[in-house]
Amino acid sequence: MAKLKTVSGAKKRFTLTGTGKIKRKHAYHSHILTKKTKKRKRNLDHFAIVEPVDIKRVKEMLVL
């Protein structure tokens, strides 16, 4: 049986924390930043934890 491969797009976007949670970046922080407020851009700058609903799908992509 062939080895399972990690989805290369997923390995660029997600990282594991020390406690095993999956970290992700916020969307909408890459371009067209002039019309967004400082507060909105600052809040988008932080990392977020993947929601429990999506954890199974992300783990399958990362082959955990």
Side-chain angles (χ1 to χ4, degrees), residues 31-46:
H31 60 97
I32 315 175
L33 298 172
T34 51
K35 64 175 82 172
K36 295 171 187 156
T37 63
K38 285 181 184 179
K39 180 181 178 181
R40 184 172 166 195
K41 288 185 278 191
R42 187 171 60 243
N43 289 334
L44 290 173
D45 204 29
H46 303 295

Side-chain angles (χ1 to χ4, degrees), residues 2-3 6 9 16 18-19 21 28 36 43 51 53 60 62:
K3 288 184 180 178
T6 298
L16 279 175
T19 56
K21 294 176 183 173
Y28 308 112
K36 295 171 187 156
N43 289 334
E51 295 297 322
V53 173
E60 284 174 0
L62 294 173

Side-chain angles (χ1 to χ4, degrees), residues 6-15 61-62:
T6 298
V7 176
S8 59
K11 75 181 153 192
K12 295 169 192 173
R13 288 176 172 87
F14 301 106
T15 54
M61 287 192 283
L62 294 173

